[in-house]
Amino acid sequence: MSHKLVLTSLLAMAASVAPLMPGAAQAGERSGKEVVAATCASCHAKGAKGAPKIGDKKAWSSRVALGLSSLTQNAVKGIRAMPAHGGSPDLTDLEISRAIVYMVNRSGGRWAEPARLEDLAIERTGPQVVKEQCAKCHQKGVGGAPRIGDREAWTPRLKDGLDNAVRAAIHGHGGMPPRGARADLTDTEVRSAVLYMINPAAAAKKGAPARAAPPSAPYKSVDGINVYLGFAPAETMRAFPEGSVERSMHGGVPGGSGYYHVNVSLADDATKALIGDAKVDMSLQEPGGTGVSKTLEPVLIGNTPGYGNYFRMRAKSSYLVTVRIQRPGAARPVEVKFEHRTY
């Protein structure tokens, strides 16, 4: 598999995670410990190339809030200096997920190592998530948790909008740990669970959707080109060491607030080879706004080519992202659109 660079935001979190029993690997499949020893430890044992060091609780805490599914996706595609699949194409998604759990648990976490690929499924409905996890507190209002269906209790929690309520559930709030202590819940599943708890009767109506519509994926394939999109706040880029590629590209990290580094990685769908000789332009437009367009400059991190630049974006805003790709010799540019929301 080709190396793909995807920059993602590192989100802050509360450190507590509820205890979970470890899973067991099936015959012929490698455990998390085995994968880490064979592949991941080359960087994560000493924190090389900015990788979070195994045992460093602070370094790993900022990753844990993303959840197991998102961390697995990042590792499968590659992120910053880490190549796709950690540079080992033979690793399965399940084995990568186990390795992540092993490193998290050696760094203060208490996650369950998935035993089957089905454990990583992301098709759970709001009622399913609530029954399996949320009801433990929200059924009886343990610790002040708003009870399921208690509109009066939920109303003040929605004064700043549903998105803020969902973010609070994702990152943890008060006595509730991030994702309700279920690291494998996706953002979409958390949202579906919150919607169900606010008004379970609406979800039970015939024809009503059980889950919220999933957000646009940061990957699309158009006209034979695989396009990967990633965002990282300027604060994340400033955290890299002085002299690193991440700190110096595009003339350095801009000062001021609200800046994000936007990265696009391209791969040929037929050959899976990375594309490093294209001209890439991108525009960001808020609904009803005029938009901002820039050329994405070629970048090379760990021998992995990509295209990036800094954009200033308003908090709590939705953007239409349009990427235009012109390959040498191609008759016309390829255009792909994404939706992105800042928080």
Side-chain angles (χ1 to χ4, degrees):
M1 179 179 291
S2 60
H3 298 178
K4 305 178 184 73
L5 178 65
V6 180
L7 290 172
T8 57
S9 301
L10 301 179
L11 307 174
M13 64 154 288
S16 62
V17 179
L20 297 169
M21 294 301 292
Q26 301 296 313
E29 296 173 347
R30 287 164 285 193
S31 68
K33 183 177 181 180
E34 291 171 330
V35 174
V36 169
T39 302
C40 312
S42 61
C43 289
H44 288 280
K46 296 183 178 181
K49 301 178 182 179
K53 183 179 179 181
I54 299 172
D56 187 338
K57 294 182 180 180
K58 183 178 180 180
W60 279 99
S61 67
S62 61
R63 275 80 173 173
V64 173
L66 294 172
L68 181 56
S69 297
S70 292
L71 287 176
T72 299
Q73 183 184 48
N74 289 345
V76 167
K77 293 180 179 179
I79 181 169
R80 292 187 298 279
M82 184 182 75
H85 285 244
S88 296
D90 61 321
L91 289 177
T92 66
D93 293 6
L94 178 58
E95 290 172 328
I96 289 173
S97 179
R98 289 172 178 163
I100 291 169
V101 170
Y102 178 80
M103 290 188 288
V104 166
N105 289 347
R106 292 291 299 274
S107 308
R110 302 183 71 181
W111 286 9
E113 183 174 298
R116 307 165 304 156
L117 187 61
E118 288 77 7
D119 295 336
L120 299 177
I122 59 172
E123 297 301 323
R124 288 165 291 193
T125 66
Q128 287 174 327
V129 174
V130 171
K131 180 179 179 181
E132 294 173 7
Q133 190 69 12
C134 311
K136 296 174 183 177
C137 292
H138 288 276
Q139 188 67 52
K140 297 183 178 180
V142 176
R147 294 191 182 194
I148 300 169
D150 186 343
R151 300 292 292 275
E152 185 176 343
W154 280 99
T155 297
R157 291 167 169 84
L158 297 172
K159 63 183 179 64
D160 294 322
L162 176 63
D163 287 344
N164 279 329
V166 173
R167 280 197 295 275
I170 290 172
H171 300 303
H173 179 75
M176 186 187 75
R179 301 177 193 272
R182 281 292 298 270
D184 62 323
L185 290 179
T186 66
D187 291 2
T188 300
E189 288 173 327
V190 173
R191 183 183 180 90
S192 297
V194 171
L195 286 170
Y196 176 79
M197 290 191 290
I198 292 171
N199 190 2
K205 290 180 181 179
K206 184 177 180 180
R211 307 175 67 230
S216 297
Y219 154 80
K220 289 185 178 181
S221 182
V222 179
D223 290 353
I225 301 177
N226 294 332
V227 185
Y228 298 84
L229 176 68
F231 291 81
E235 291 77 8
T236 299
M237 309 307 289
R238 294 189 189 103
F240 284 93
E242 289 282 355
S244 64
V245 175
E246 291 86 354
R247 283 284 295 272
S248 59
M249 57 189 178
H250 318 307
V253 184
S257 61
Y259 282 97
Y260 288 80
H261 182 269
V262 184
N263 182 86
V264 170
S265 296
L266 308 174
D268 187 281
D269 187 47
T271 66
K272 307 306 178 186
L274 289 173
I275 299 171
D277 59 353
K279 181 180 183 295
V280 182
D281 297 297
M282 193 176 80
S283 65
L284 294 180
Q285 182 178 17
E286 290 183 274
T290 57
V292 177
S293 298
K294 288 185 179 181
T295 295
L296 300 190
E297 301 172 354
V299 296
L300 188 66
I301 302 178
N303 295 320
T304 302
Y307 306 83
N309 214 324
Y310 284 98
F311 286 79
R312 198 165 196 173
M313 305 169 69
R314 295 197 311 138
K316 302 178 182 179
S317 297
S318 296
Y319 288 87
L320 174 64
V321 182
T322 304
V323 181
R324 297 180 184 85
I325 305 153
Q326 180 68 59
R327 298 188 68 177
R332 59 181 178 83
V334 173
E335 185 173 283
V336 58
K337 296 181 182 294
F338 296 86
E339 293 180 2
H340 180 74
R341 180 170 176 80
T342 57
Y343 292 99

